[in-house]
Amino acid sequence: MGLIYPTGSAAAHPSNDSPGYKSTSLRHPKQPLVLLPHTLSEVTGPVYGHETVRPGDDDLTRQHAGEPLGERIIVRGRVLDEDGRPVPDTLVEIWQANAAGRYVHVKDQHPAPLDPNFTGAGRAVTDAEGRYAFTSIKPGAYPWRNHHNAWRPAHIHFSLFGPSFLSRLVTQMYFPGDPLFPFDPIFNAITDPRARERLISRFDMDTTQPEWALGYVFDIVLRGRDQTPTEEPHDD
Amino acid sequence: MTDGITPSQTVGPFFAYCLTPKDYDVREIFSPDVAGPGVQGARIRIEGRVFDGAGEGVGDAMLEIWQADAEGRYAHPADVGARGNAGFTGFGRAPTAPDGGFAFTTVKPGPVPGPGGTTQAPHVSLTVFSRGVLTHLRTRIYFDDEPANGGDPVLALVPEARRGTLVARSTAPGVYRFDVRLQGEGETVFFEA
Ligand SMILES: [Fe+2]
């Protein structure tokens, strides 16, 4: 379990002081963060695997009596560490809006219909090679009140644990070519364009199934890399 | 090698039906009740509120805790000394109520090893996710009735005037109060790691 977590890697994350995203204004710390050494409390973390999911949790189109409306999709990918090695047996939780851009959450009241055949929550656990897959429908873009005529690009929310409390990640997956990217302050809060690109899934014909569903690939890289091999310690 | 890690995005306002689905027709896999009936240790309740920079309760946040068991053992393979605590996962997840309130029930953690042969005072790791928080915030909960706080190597890194924000206050037997202030007066100490 010799993983280390270089702090420089975390620079890819967006700053919580991102004024374009209005809700940050009263919710970001103004005092400097304190650098925390990576003690046992940090390099350990919750381990949740196959016992947490049930058959069908990974198919969001089959949670109700009928099928949801919308464009059926398969989203698959691998969960990797920074060295590109698979993160096996780790829980992936997702949630999303329906094809009309409406969430079942009670607080989403914007004028778009709910779909009685779609909740939008799914779970999967990665296999030995770090692979996961979900079947769902493509979520719609939705309006929000951040600024005049604000619309979120279509996205699926992801939550992952990985090997420790340092690798914990909550993020959003986007779809390629979305015209709303330049206008979205949440996406653009990530300042490095290459890091932003890593949130955009890729359309994949090999994942696409004939007469059935379009396929998208979204690989996720969590913090953690192999400890650099060192010499055996000497006693003298 | 990879091009770098996948960056964080906010949990947003609509996570509850997946991550904390108690009020929805979705099976709940995590809860704020960390210690099942068979778990050894002193039962405690950690309760408080999350406040924003205007002093308003944050009603759409999610908190997660991670802690050792009563004997200071983590349920994780990296804790090579840990044996026999299989009944205690050490992980809890709680949404905030509309007024920002939250509560966890758990056992009081034991002291755990720190860097360089030191010992860390009993503490709980806490992360805060919320709309308006793009990258989750990380802090720690210590306990005001632990003399070991004085020798804790992490508390020692925090400016003395702010240390109190990391210490839960005992308000009744087995009950501790811990408020999270995201910004402003009494702002909680958050860590980068
Ligand atoms: Fe969303």
Side-chain angles (χ1 to χ4, degrees), chain B residues 153-167:
Chain B
V154 170
L155 278 177
L157 300 172
V158 175
E160 200 171 351
R162 302 189 63 207
R163 266 176 222 165
T165 70
L166 299 181
V167 182

Side-chain angles (χ1 to χ4, degrees), chain A residues 103 142 152 155 157 172, chain B residues 14:
Chain A
Y103 286 91
Y142 61 85
R152 294 297 327 281
H155 60 273
H157 294 266
Q172 301 180 23
Chain B
F14 302 134

